[in-house]
Structure formats: C-alpha cells, structure tokens
Amino acid sequence: MMDTLILIGSKISQDTIHSSLGKPEYSYYFLLKEFLPALRQIGTVVEVRSLDEVESLYERHRATRPVVFISVSPPQQTPLGLKCPTVPLFAWEFDSLPDVAWEGDPRNDWAYVFERVQGAIATSREAAALVTSAHRNLPVLAVPAPIWERFGAPAACRPGQGERRIPFNGVVIDSPLLGLSADGLVRRPDVAAPTPEPEPEPAKPSRLQQRVQVTRALFEGWKREVFGVEPALAPAPVAAIPEAREVSLCGVVYTTVLNPADGRKNWIDLITAFCWAFRDTPDAVLLVKMTHHDLEHYRVVLMTLLSRLAPFACRVVVLHGFLEDEQYQAMVAATDYYVNASSCEGLCLPLMEFLCAGKPALAPDHTAMADYLDGRMGFILKGALEPTCWPHDPTGMLVTHRHRLNWESLMLAFRDSYRLANDDPQGYERMSQAARLRMQHFCSMETVADSLRTFLAQVQGRSRCSSEPARLAGGLAE
C-alpha cells in the first residue's frame, strides 16, 4: 500500500486542553494524542485545525497518494460533505445508537452520518457491532488506543510500597487536614445580642465587624489547610501559577481519575463505599484525580460529603489541576489498585493505563471494559441494567441503557483487595502480571497499527458517495 496521508483533527487541542477539562468531549483530545504514534507507523500524519486545511491538503496530494481524514469526535460532530474521505473515530458506551435528528440537525441521527462517511472507528466491540448491524457495507473497526508502550511495567508490582511521592502543581484536598465533622453542617440559631453598653468604647468593633473578622480568619485557616497557601496580603495575580509540591502517600493506595461533572462515574458512591469499608483502617488511601477546570463545580459537594462521612480513619486525597506526563506516571507508580465505578464506558483510558502498569482494578466488566477486563486482573463489580438517555438527547427520554452500580459489591471489593494486598502478596503479583500480559496483547502499538493498516486499506477501496449537497462542519473550524 502506498504511503497514506492521514489528516487528523479534534475540536480540543493542546492549546485549549487545560481550560477544557471536564467540558463535553474533552477526552477526545487524549484519544487523538494516544492514536498518533500508531497512525504514524502506517502513514504520514498531519494534525489539522480547519476544514479548509483538510480540503486543501486533499486537493494537493490526492493525485499522488491516498488521503483520509480521521475526525476524532462523536459522529454528530463529524464534518460531512468533504471531498476528502472522512472517518469518525469515536467512543460510545450505550447499547443503541441515536436515531433522531434533534434540533433540526440531521447528524443527530447517526444513520445519516454513517451513510455519508467512508468508514468508522469505534473504541469498543459493542459500539462497532451496533454500527455494523445497521450499516453492513461500511468498513468498521473496533480498536483501543495503543498505550501499552507508554505504561507497560517491566515487572510485576508489589503492594504497600512504603512512602511514595507525587509531584503536583495544583490544589490538594487532604481529609486528615480538614477537621471534618458533621456538626459543622448544622446551622445554629443566632444568639440574642446582649444589651449594648450606654457608652460603648469607640475602638471596640461592632458585632457585625467581629463576625466578619472571625469568618475571615476561619476562611484563611481553611485555605491554608486545604490549598496549602498562606493568606494573601495583597490581591493575587490573575494568572498565578500554583506552587509546586509533593503529595506523600503511605499504605494501600487506591486511585481513580474522573470528571466530577459526569454522572456516569458515580464518584459519590465510590467515596462513600471507600470510607465505609475503611472507616477503621488508617493505612487505606483513596487518591481522586478530578479532571475538571473549575474547583467550585464540586468543592462544596465534596466537603459536605466528607463531613457527613466523618469520622473515618482512612484517608481521602483529592487532586485538582492538570498533571503533566511525568506527574501522571508518578501517580500510576504510587498506586496499588485502580478503581472504576462507572455505569458505562466508551473505553476508559485511565483504567487501561493502570492495568498496563500492572495495577489490578476494582471495576465492572460491562460496555468497553468487557473487551479487556476479567477476574484474573482485579475485582469485578456487580451491577444491573437500568434505563437512561443518550447524553446529548435534549428530550431526556429513557431510550437506552446503562449499568447501575451495586454499591455493596464495591464496598466488599475494597475490603477483599485490601486483604489481598496485605495477606497474599503473591496473589497480588499474579493479578498484576495477568493485567500486564492481557493489556500487552490488547493495546500494544503493533496490534493497533496492524488493525488500522487493514482498515484504511478497506476505506481506500470503498467508492466515495458524492450525493452530499452541503458541507456540514463538525469539530473543526470552517
């Protein structure tokens, strides 16, 4: 096959990812980033930022080599009507495909999209099977992101590795430092003001001023404990950079990476199950990496939740901020178990990354996770189907399904995994080794590149439909 020119793009770029964490489709940037090395093994790759750039490159090169545009985006955001053959690369976590053209946009009916593209790449077998069953003549590939080479550990891991440190430039919320108590959630009635003195001293502050002073002092103390910063004597610069620090962890460390705005992640259930399982276990640590650009989106909910759960002996550490690659690798290395409590997943890159590194999981084996997870690699969580809606359906109608988490199975998995780590290190190492071997076969660069090479050959052999009258923009600019 001649060297293929592979154009690839997503609406989230390196320039905007820091401010896009937690926003819709932010994870497609990470998906694009992970697929680039495999695509570079089978062709010349150019990252594009606009549809005009796609069409210009296609016109310039189509006479000398095959050209294809891979739009890393949901199908309803895939550009249509381009001269360049177009393939959406997407993640999908439900058992049916959207089939309604909401809000006057025909692309919201995915059948309309798949009839006008030259192929489709899904990150799970379940999603690929749904597309194939509805469009049997369309080349469809189910393939994971090729992450084994970046995260594959050289040897099996050992639990309870002593003190571990993670460099981090962001906000750290550490439960032992918060003075948590449910009493703090109770609103107490105001005490009646005493009868004022006939001639109060001029220098004595009023009751309101005293309250303001006390509130300010408490707030500044809370900031020092939670954010690790001293009270500002002057207004801080708008673009202030958080001070570098190290987060120290000891004991059996459980890690989860999630978007608190995504209701499918069940992060409140995850924290409550952990605190209940280990309410008398001081060396159990839950590390929660929140992927959201706005701390205030979840801070009050988190602080209220931890206060209601208090007192508990275990430790909950929440990280808010962007992790550079070396910091993320340090977090992986510091972890004993990865936890996923989701109702559905289109791929779950963090779970795959930690499994590649030999970190056993506590996770369900449904949707995309069924492609690679089994009981040899971790503790399988139970669940049951429940009705839900497609995430971008403005009507909210319950027309598809997700998997309701069995909270008790998660709580018991925490306890069982803790016992394994402390009482059976050989059993833990067998689980770690099984995770490594499975993921090496599943998502190595060679495996993914071979699948992509065969798929692109099918796309190039498919005659392009020329009946689309208008160009519909998607994730890229016009």
Side-chain angles (χ1 to χ4, degrees):
M1 184 174 68
M2 284 191 298
D3 178 59
T4 302
L5 178 60
I6 303 171
L7 311 179
I8 188 167
S10 173
K11 71 176 183 180
I12 306 295
S13 67
Q14 177 70 43
D15 299 333
T16 61
I17 185 58
H18 287 253
S19 60
S20 300
L21 291 177
K23 295 181 180 179
E25 288 85 45
Y26 80 97
S27 60
Y28 276 93
Y29 164 76
F30 297 102
L31 200 60
L32 181 152
K33 182 180 176 182
E34 297 295 354
F35 268 95
L36 285 177
L39 291 170
R40 287 173 178 144
Q41 288 198 2
I42 61 177
T44 301
V45 178
V46 177
E47 292 187 63
V48 294
R49 294 179 177 270
S50 71
L51 299 184
D52 289 338
E53 186 179 2
V54 172
E55 295 292 66
S56 174
L57 289 170
Y58 175 71
E59 291 294 342
R60 189 186 313 165
H61 295 278
R62 65 174 182 167
T64 58
R65 59 159 90 172
V67 184
V68 63
F69 170 47
I70 298 179
S71 174
V72 188
S73 59
Q76 76 273 9
Q77 295 181 7
T78 300
L80 300 179
L82 301 177
K83 296 178 182 178
C84 183
T86 301
V87 173
L89 191 165
F90 69 99
W92 186 243
E93 58 269 37
F94 301 98
D95 59 3
S96 61
L97 302 179
D99 56 3
V100 180
W102 304 294
E103 300 176 337
D105 188 344
R107 288 176 302 175
N108 284 322
D109 179 356
W110 284 14
Y112 181 89
V113 176
F114 292 130
E115 288 168 0
R116 289 161 173 79
V117 294
Q118 285 62 60
I121 302 173
T123 56
S124 72
R125 295 171 186 167
E126 181 182 56
L130 290 172
V131 178
T132 298
S133 65
H135 306 275
R136 297 194 175 277
N137 295 323
L138 183 71
V140 180
L141 174 65
V143 66
I147 63 172
W148 162 254
E149 281 72 14
R150 286 208 307 120
F151 290 92
C157 304
R158 295 180 182 273
Q161 307 165 50
E163 185 181 23
R164 287 147 278 177
R165 294 182 177 274
I166 303 171
F168 183 59
N169 300 71
V171 176
V172 179
I173 301 177
D174 197 346
S175 63
L177 303 179
L178 300 179
L180 296 168
S181 172
D183 292 340
L185 302 176
V186 179
R187 182 176 181 180
R188 303 186 184 282
D190 292 334
V191 178
T195 304
E197 296 290 335
E199 294 180 2
E201 298 180 8
K204 184 178 179 179
S206 68
R207 183 174 179 82
L208 176 60
Q209 290 172 326
Q210 289 176 347
R211 286 184 177 180
V212 170
Q213 292 172 358
V214 170
T215 301
R216 182 179 293 118
L218 290 173
F219 178 69
E220 295 296 350
W222 179 83
K223 281 204 301 183
R224 287 195 297 273
E225 290 180 344
V226 175
F227 299 107
V229 297
E230 294 299 322
L233 300 179
V238 174
I241 300 175
E243 182 182 356
R245 67 170 72 187
E246 285 188 328
V247 179
S248 176
L249 305 174
C250 293
V252 181
V253 178
Y254 297 82
T255 299
T256 188
V257 181
L258 55 85
N259 173 10
D262 189 343
R264 298 168 296 177
K265 302 302 182 180
N266 297 315
W267 66 274
I268 292 177
D269 288 335
L270 193 156
I271 292 178
T272 56
F274 175 82
C275 291
W276 187 255
F278 298 127
R279 60 192 181 276
D280 300 316
T281 310
D283 66 338
V285 181
L286 176 62
L287 180 64
V288 183
K289 173 61 185 74
M290 294 292 196
T291 56
H292 200 282
H293 64 286
D294 184 7
L295 174 65
E296 294 307 310
H297 179 85
Y298 64 88
R299 180 185 60 81
V300 173
V301 175
L302 173 66
M303 298 296 290
T304 302
L305 174 65
L306 294 177
S307 298
R308 294 178 64 189
L309 290 168
F312 49 85
C314 54
R315 180 184 177 195
V316 178
V317 181
V318 177
L319 305 183
H320 176 89
F322 189 82
L323 284 171
E324 301 296 342
D325 287 347
E326 62 275 10
Q327 295 172 324
Y328 192 91
Q329 291 281 359
M331 182 175 69
V332 174
T335 298
D336 296 311
Y337 291 101
Y338 186 81
V339 189
N340 177 299
S342 294
S343 300
C344 48
E345 288 285 1
L347 182 61
C348 194
L349 278 173
L351 174 58
M352 291 176 55
E353 292 162 352
F354 281 75
L355 288 171
C356 286
K359 310 297 180 176
L362 287 66
D365 60 351
H366 55 59
T367 51
M369 295 178 288
D371 291 353
Y372 53 88
L373 185 64
D374 60 48
R376 297 170 300 168
M377 306 155 60
F379 297 82
I380 303 302
L381 307 182
K382 298 178 182 179
L385 279 178
E386 67 176 353
T388 190
C389 62
W390 294 310
H392 59 291
D393 181 352
T395 70
M397 296 181 64
L398 304 179
V399 293
T400 190
H401 297 91
R402 64 181 182 182
H403 298 257
R404 178 183 296 172
L405 172 70
N406 183 311
W407 182 93
E408 184 181 27
S409 75
L410 174 57
M411 189 271 293
L412 294 176
F414 276 126
R415 293 179 176 174
D416 291 342
S417 60
Y418 179 85
R419 282 193 291 268
L420 178 72
N422 283 286
D423 302 338
D424 186 8
Q426 290 78 23
Y428 178 93
E429 289 188 13
R430 286 193 297 270
M431 197 171 278
S432 171
Q433 185 72 4
R436 292 182 64 255
L437 293 176
R438 174 70 184 103
M439 299 309 288
Q440 183 176 19
H441 175 75
F442 179 68
C443 59
S444 69
M445 192 74 65
E446 180 182 2
T447 299
V448 174
D450 286 346
S451 298
L452 288 169
R453 184 180 292 109
T454 301
F455 168 77
L456 290 181
Q458 292 179 305
V459 171
Q460 291 163 17
R462 175 181 167 84
S463 60
R464 183 177 186 278
C465 175
S466 58
S467 60
E468 181 63 36
R471 189 166 86 171
L472 298 180
L476 298 179
E478 284 282 8

